Amino acid sequence: MPLTSDPPLDRTAPRRTGPPADDDPAALKVVPVRHPWRWAAIVVTAVLLAQFAHGLLTNPAWEWGVFAQFFTAETVVRAVWVTLQLTVYGTVLGFALGIVLAFMRLSASPFLRAVAFGYIWAFRSIPLIVQLLFWFNLAYLYKRLDFGIPFGPGFFSFDTMGLVGAMSAAVLGLALHQAAYAAEIVRGGVLAVDGGQLEAAAALGIPRPRQLRRIVLPQAMRAILPNAANEVISLFKGTSIVSVMAIGELFYQVQVIYGRNGRVVPLLMVATAWYVLLTTVLSVLQHYVERHFAKGATR
Amino acid sequence: MSTATTPAPPAGTRPMVEVRAVHKSFGALEVLRGIDLQVRTGEVAVVLGPSGSGKSTLLRTINHLEKVDSGRISVDGALVGYRRSGDKLYELREREILKQRTHIGFVFQNFNLFPHLTVLDNITEAPLAALRRPRKDVLATARALLDRVGLADKADAYPRQLSGGQQQRVAIARALALEPKLLLFDEPTSALDPELVGEVLAVIKDLARQGTTMIVVTHEIGFAREVADTVVFMDGGRIVEQGPPGQVLDHPRHERTKSFLSKVL
């Protein structure tokens, strides 16, 4: 039996189906492809969504009254403020150190490259929670901090216990952890800038610091920003880990309240709603910052 | 040994560019094998040669984008990249090298305009940053230069909104903004669509007429014939022959030059 079949021989006159072909292609009607399964999927998804929304509104266990009562409660708002402070300090210090580390990794000196690599390796390897507990217990390791000539006499010194309180230990931990990731993001952004740009800047005799500030970083920002925004948002939510150190940030505060009144679900929703709200603000901010750095770009 | 003939500079004109016994290797590959070249003030030298002959590398050593392995290069009497003291050559600091480069304009094959800056900012960036000239003067100069390359109406456009030919003309204006003593062109038309080559060459010809000292690496033989005072033919990291276009292009003395010209003409 043949695997291919020839078209049946048509011994009669050519048969036409449908109306005679029109010579004007514009007069032909285009029939779009139908997607019946897409419609089925839409219906199923819509029903599931409706069920979920119905549950949110009618299930009394959500206790929306309790949610409303605590959402704007003073203790909660103060805790949100602490969370924001941790995020801002962690981001600013983390990225500041990250930029330094990125340029160390890009430098011509093998020593600086190795140190930056070692830092990134170490701080990416140690879980944040372990690190935070380390900083929290720093006074156990070093009783005093002296500032002076390395290996020589000290000029002034601090009592570690007084210097590194819970809040500064948290900021320190978050920032050092963040710096390792920020360094790689910044390095990636700098590497994404076309080498010809640096060459052109060098050929024009533009001083080195200005090459970086005016030519490299603005272009690197386009590659840095989406990742950096990811990091900031993940740090913002990651501050909840600091609750292990009994710092009154949002998640810790919510736990304290439901520990007292037992209303676990509505209070978790209070924290969730704040996290969602502020993440939305950050995402909108990201959009505008990205637009600023997209000048002259086609996409 | 070099078979090249180096015409002695006419009395009274000292060379703008002096390249002596320059060698340069990338790893095991020796790209420049002893280059001697002189370009007088106001002269246009056009460098021809097959790909990989070392033309671009030679150009890039002249403004120290590439460091030479041995030999010396001087521009307007000043050693490029080094300072001589007694019988020692001291490497210059990056800051000093950048300062030297402000006297040497460089135009790249791929334009390398700064895509995030407007055309005007591309041109004003170096005079503001490297020469620290007053903003008002720099802006006036930049607008005059844009007018000269026929792009006065594009000052506020971004590079990606321009055609390749327009971008290269902006790049030339950007190089001219530093009022360099010497202009280096690295295959300025090789990345352009054929119909855009003419507008860029026209700008370079105009510069030549005004007595700008230039070294142009190109594949445009017609341009070389029309504009060059000296045509330099390179192959395998050496200068094979050089002389006036009428001599090198029409009566080449070396087989290598003859076979190259027969392929490109």
Side-chain angles (χ1 to χ4, degrees):
Chain A
M1 193 180 138
L3 289 172
T4 57
S5 60
D6 289 320
L9 285 174
D10 190 7
R11 262 164 244 139
T12 60
R15 236 179 331 149
R16 306 203 73 135
T17 52
D22 197 331
D23 279 344
D24 177 15
L28 297 173
K29 188 167 181 280
V30 177
V31 181
V33 176
R34 306 283 176 207
H35 297 283
W37 284 109
R38 189 184 293 170
W39 284 104
I42 288 170
V43 168
V44 171
T45 315
V47 168
L48 288 174
L49 273 177
Q51 277 186 304
F52 178 65
H54 180 256
L56 275 184
L57 293 173
T58 58
N59 187 343
W62 288 104
E63 294 186 275
W64 292 113
V66 180
F67 170 87
Q69 182 196 338
F70 281 101
F71 185 66
T72 51
E74 205 213 320
T75 49
V76 170
V77 172
R78 222 182 309 126
V80 169
W81 177 237
V82 174
T83 291
L84 281 176
Q85 279 179 309
L86 286 168
T87 308
V88 170
Y89 292 146
T91 302
V92 171
L93 294 175
F95 271 84
L97 180 56
I99 289 171
V100 173
L101 286 166
F103 282 102
M104 281 170 74
R105 270 208 81 177
L106 291 167
S107 92
S109 153
F111 179 74
L112 293 180
R113 279 206 305 269
V115 170
F117 177 84
Y119 179 96
I120 292 164
W121 166 76
F123 279 81
R124 285 200 308 201
S125 310
I126 306 168
L128 178 56
I129 192 161
V130 174
Q131 215 201 107
L132 284 168
L133 290 172
F134 250 113
W135 290 112
F136 195 54
N137 296 302
L138 185 66
Y140 175 77
L141 209 54
Y142 298 101
K143 301 256 179 311
R144 292 157 53 81
L145 284 180
D146 287 276
F147 287 85
I149 298 164
F151 304 109
F155 299 135
F156 51 93
S157 64
F158 294 101
D159 187 11
T160 315
M161 194 71 103
L163 182 73
V164 186
M167 185 72 181
S168 19
V171 168
L172 202 61
L174 290 173
L176 293 177
H177 173 81
Q178 198 54 52
Y181 290 91
E184 289 296 86
I185 290 173
V186 172
R187 187 171 69 97
V190 171
L191 289 179
V193 177
D194 178 35
Q197 292 290 307
L198 270 179
E199 211 161 59
L204 286 165
I206 297 170
R208 186 84 178 153
R210 181 145 172 155
Q211 286 181 22
L212 292 179
R213 203 182 68 238
R214 187 87 168 132
I215 308 299
V216 176
L217 281 180
Q219 295 186 63
M221 283 307 269
R222 293 214 64 212
I224 290 173
L225 274 172
N227 293 322
N230 263 353
E231 282 299 310
V232 174
I233 287 168
S234 121
L235 175 65
F236 167 63
K237 290 175 300 176
T239 53
S240 56
I241 213 170
V242 164
S243 61
V244 297
M245 293 154 78
I247 290 170
E249 50 72 53
L250 182 55
F251 187 57
Y252 179 79
Q253 197 58 38
V254 162
Q255 282 179 307
V256 167
I257 297 172
Y258 71 59
R260 256 195 329 252
N261 67 10
R263 301 292 191 23
V264 177
V265 170
L267 278 156
L268 283 180
M269 281 309 287
V270 166
T272 307
W274 272 112
Y275 284 124
V276 169
L277 183 72
L278 291 169
T279 302
T280 309
V281 172
L282 286 174
S283 304
V284 171
L285 215 64
Q286 174 189 4
H287 170 77
Y288 285 101
V289 177
E290 280 191 16
R291 205 173 61 176
H292 171 77
F293 283 102
K295 277 187 300 184
T298 46
R299 63 183 173 94
Chain B
M1 67 144 259
S2 166
T3 51
T5 54
T6 308
T13 56
R14 66 171 169 159
M16 173 61 79
V17 181
E18 231 183 332
V19 177
R20 281 167 66 187
V22 160
H23 287 259
K24 170 78 189 173
S25 299
F26 292 120
L29 180 71
E30 194 174 15
V31 220
L32 298 179
R33 309 173 173 224
I35 299 285
D36 288 281
L37 178 70
Q38 287 198 357
V39 180
R40 295 180 308 272
T41 304
E43 183 181 355
V44 177
V46 171
V47 184
L48 303 174
S51 301
S53 58
K55 318 181 290 291
S56 289
T57 307
L58 170 63
L59 206 65
R60 292 160 60 84
T61 58
I62 294 175
N63 75 343
H64 210 66
L65 280 177
E66 301 289 354
K67 215 196 253 185
V68 300
D69 295 337
S70 67
R72 263 176 287 160
I73 296 172
S74 55
V75 171
D76 201 23
L79 270 179
V80 172
Y82 298 91
R83 178 165 34 85
R84 185 174 173 170
S85 175
D87 57 352
K88 281 204 182 112
L89 289 180
Y90 292 91
E91 264 185 51
L92 293 181
R93 291 173 175 284
E94 195 186 10
R95 192 152 38 87
E96 297 166 304
I97 291 169
L98 288 168
K99 182 127 189 60
Q100 277 192 334
R101 290 205 189 110
T102 62
H103 303 301
I104 308 170
F106 199 100
V107 176
F108 295 88
Q109 180 176 349
N110 297 316
F111 333 133
N112 288 343
L113 292 178
F114 305 129
H116 60 301
L117 301 180
T118 62
V119 163
L120 198 64
D121 286 341
N122 262 281
I123 299 173
T124 57
E125 177 61 20
L128 288 174
L131 304 182
R132 297 169 169 279
R133 297 228 175 106
R135 176 170 284 274
K136 212 180 88 196
D137 303 358
V138 170
L139 278 173
T141 314
R143 290 195 185 277
L145 283 169
L146 272 180
D147 194 37
R148 189 162 154 194
V149 297
L151 293 170
D153 57 330
K154 299 290 185 193
D156 298 319
Y158 284 97
R160 287 200 179 110
Q161 298 162 341
L162 305 181
S163 73
Q166 292 172 328
Q167 289 191 47
Q168 192 60 298
R169 279 144 68 197
V170 171
I172 294 171
R174 179 173 75 172
L176 288 172
L178 290 165
E179 292 168 24
K181 300 171 189 167
L182 167 70
L183 268 179
L184 306 174
F185 291 85
D186 187 8
E187 303 199 24
T189 59
S190 295
L192 297 178
D193 291 339
E195 79 268 23
L196 302 177
V197 168
E199 62 187 67
V200 171
L201 292 184
V203 169
I204 304 176
K205 280 177 205 166
D206 186 48
L207 289 170
R209 263 196 298 278
Q210 288 162 30
T212 315
T213 314
M214 296 192 276
I215 303 180
V216 186
V217 170
T218 186
H219 293 293
E220 300 285 334
I221 307 290
F223 169 81
R225 192 187 301 280
E226 195 178 338
V227 177
D229 297 303
T230 308
V231 171
V232 179
F233 177 72
M234 283 182 73
D235 188 34
R238 290 196 178 85
I239 291 178
V240 175
E241 73 178 288
Q242 59 176 309
Q247 177 198 315
V248 177
L249 298 178
D250 299 330
H251 309 286
R253 285 177 301 168
H254 290 263
E255 275 312 311
R256 194 63 198 87
T257 319
K258 277 179 204 161
S259 77
F260 174 78
L261 288 172
S262 72
K263 278 179 206 141
V264 295
L265 278 178

